[in-house]
Amino acid sequence: MFSDLLLPMFDDEYYPDILVAEIKQLIEKFSKSIEKSLIDMDVYRLADGVLVQINEMKPQFEDLDSSLDDTAADYIAEAMMMVVQEQGYMNIEMEELIANREW
């Protein structure tokens, strides 16, 4: 499953592979943190922590003439939803999952 995460971002030269790889690692770590049976609120809380870290990467993208634009937001949201659903959390709302993004 992880091999497909953020593949469109890796394929798009606009997004620096090194930074996309960091986001992928954060999402993989998020996946491992939700492997245990949690209530939905815990999943949202853990997702917020990941998004804080991704938000902090915004200047790094800008330094490399890129950005965390709407397209990136869609790719990241889809990757996080894939992970959540793979772990069996089918009642998670995508917009609520990425609500604290700043991009």
Side-chain angles (χ1 to χ4, degrees):
M1 175 189 73
F2 289 135
S3 62
D4 294 337
L5 285 180
L6 303 177
L7 195 56
M9 286 183 78
F10 281 112
D11 288 343
D12 189 332
E13 291 181 15
Y14 179 69
Y15 304 108
D17 285 349
I18 188 130
L19 297 179
V20 176
E22 284 184 46
I23 293 172
K24 182 178 177 181
Q25 286 178 334
L26 291 171
I27 294 172
E28 288 173 356
K29 186 177 174 184
F30 169 67
S31 176
K32 290 181 177 141
S33 70
I34 63 171
E35 284 179 348
K36 305 174 188 100
S37 296
L38 301 172
I39 60 171
D40 290 355
M41 291 308 298
D42 288 337
V43 174
Y44 290 124
R45 181 182 50 78
L46 291 168
D48 284 347
V50 171
L51 291 171
V52 165
Q53 292 176 297
I54 295 172
N55 289 341
E56 291 171 353
M57 294 176 69
K58 188 176 177 181
Q60 293 173 286
F61 274 86
E62 292 167 357
D63 287 346
L64 296 174
D65 296 324
S66 184
S67 68
L68 288 170
D69 56 10
D70 291 341
T71 303
D74 290 344
Y75 292 143
I76 294 168
E78 288 172 14
M80 291 183 74
M81 281 303 293
M82 281 176 37
V83 163
V84 166
Q85 290 176 346
E86 180 74 20
Q87 294 299 340
Y89 298 98
M90 300 303 180
N91 295 322
I92 299 293
E93 296 291 328
M94 184 183 310
E95 284 303 314
E96 192 172 343
L97 187 68
I98 60 166
N100 111 4
R101 74 181 185 279
E102 295 177 1
W103 22 273

